[in-house]
Amino acid sequence: MTRTESLRVLPSVDEVLRCAATNQMLDACPRQQVTRWIREAIDTCRTTLLSGTPMDADAAMQFVLHRVRERSRAELGESLQHVINATGILLHTNLGRSPLAAAAMDKIQHAAAYTNVELNLDTGKRSQRGERVTRLLCELTGSEAAVVVNNCAAATMLVLQALSFQKEVVISRGQLVEIGGGFRLPDVFAAAGVKLREIGTTNRTYLADYEAALSEETGAIIRVHRSNFQQVGFVTEPTIRELVSITRSRHVPVIDDIGSGCIHDLSAFGLREATVKESVTAGADVILFSGDKLFGGPQCGIILGGTEWIRKIRQSPMMRAVRVDKLTLAALEATTEIHLSGQAADEIPFLRMVSRDAASIRSQCQTVANGLSTTSLDISVVPCESQVGGGSIPGSSLRSFGLRISGEGIERLSHRLRTGRPAVIGRLSDDCLILDLRTVAEHETETLAAQLNAAAQST
Ligand SMILES: *Cc1c(COP(=O)(O)O)cnc(C)c1O
């Protein structure tokens, strides 16, 4: 048999599409994609046959199906779906940071159809997008005005560009940071078209350094909160109040990038983080923070400030490029209403998770352990530490409890949990899997036990 003759065993695209295995895939992945995977797998099979590897028709079909299945698995691993977060990291950037409050989810659902995003239903007149939510944000923080954009990174770019284009922005060397994912402040300055005027040293920058840097060229002073690392020891830098005191006589704004956006005092839980209100009270001209960190809302960048500054920011041509969509506004409006209602501790998932006491988490662990029908897992309830995460409040942790699962095949079990529906994500450390239940909602407890049973059984 010549090599060309050996190609007769190759299945056709239609034959592969008719297989039961392919049909299952078609429930989850679009037909066009599956068809392309099949074509590519047949091509690979052809190359393999031509290289002299013998196969019968059945083996060729299995060869193709195996490759297509691998492609669909990898694809579905990225298909967005509900995940049970058992990592104990409250704001897990890879898991979408803050989970939304029920009321925020509800409001998104309603806004998903037509919604009055730029229409006042009472007057019948056009309104400014996000007008109500900015009023609520001012009510909550004491700020004069506000504007909302896609995220805090967009807020930083927009504010620098709108207020200080081609001018110098003064920043302490101790704050010239990488925020994450390669987002480095010097690059942001360059992209926004402002000049970096770095002052002081890594550990100490004085008010006098700022005063000396102020000139006709100054466009702003920016303070960037160290959200994802700590500086301890021989360190000093001026407060916002002090910075404002030296800029008052000039028309130069003090921009406070606080990043994490803490609304309520969290010191009762051992978490020390300045609140948004403190920055407003200290007199910062413009304040920036993320909506999906400690605020507990959707991804967005919230900009607070004096009426004049906010007007100038709104007028920037960049504003249109970073404006938020109706779904974000819906979730943010609902979340802000909760903060104002006095119900935040109960209704904002992030705050609920922060305030959970270790004993209740331990009993939740026990419930899951008791619900296991399998004896094939080596499982115990152990103390562990939860992290806030999401580049917020570094170096702080919360006492928690988790399920520690060990034994052979722990990586396989972890994979099975991850690829289950819903997915369960834990923390692999050394030879065991830790499921920290601080981040698992009460209503997910039963499902978690069921997923553990299912994953253990197929081991
Ligand atoms: C998190 C953070 C940002 C980036 O916020 P995104 O909403 O992720 O864009 C910017 N600055 C500081 C200080 C932060 O902590």
Side-chain angles (χ1 to χ4, degrees), residues 183-206:
F183 190 77
R184 293 176 159 189
L185 281 176
D187 303 335
V188 176
F189 277 47
V194 304
K195 293 177 213 155
L196 179 66
R197 179 81 161 86
E198 36 183 316
I199 57 165
T201 60
T202 304
N203 60 331
R204 291 176 85 85
T205 304
Y206 304 97

Side-chain angles (χ1 to χ4, degrees), residues 97 151-153 179 224-225 227 257-260 290 292-293 300 391:
R97 286 197 189 150
N151 50 36
C152 193
I179 289 158
V224 178
H225 182 55
S227 307
D257 178 0
I258 56 176
S260 38
S290 301
D292 55 353
K293 292 184 181 172
C300 62

Side-chain angles (χ1 to χ4, degrees), residues 66-104:
H66 173 73
R67 269 171 177 65
V68 176
R69 210 176 290 121
E70 296 274 293
R71 294 290 289 273
S72 94
R73 275 212 200 112
E75 178 82 14
L76 291 177
E78 288 177 338
S79 168
L80 296 183
Q81 57 200 280
H82 175 52
V83 169
I84 293 182
N85 174 10
T87 64
I89 300 169
L90 281 70
L91 303 172
H92 198 305
T93 299
N94 300 359
L95 299 180
R97 286 197 189 150
S98 170
L100 295 179

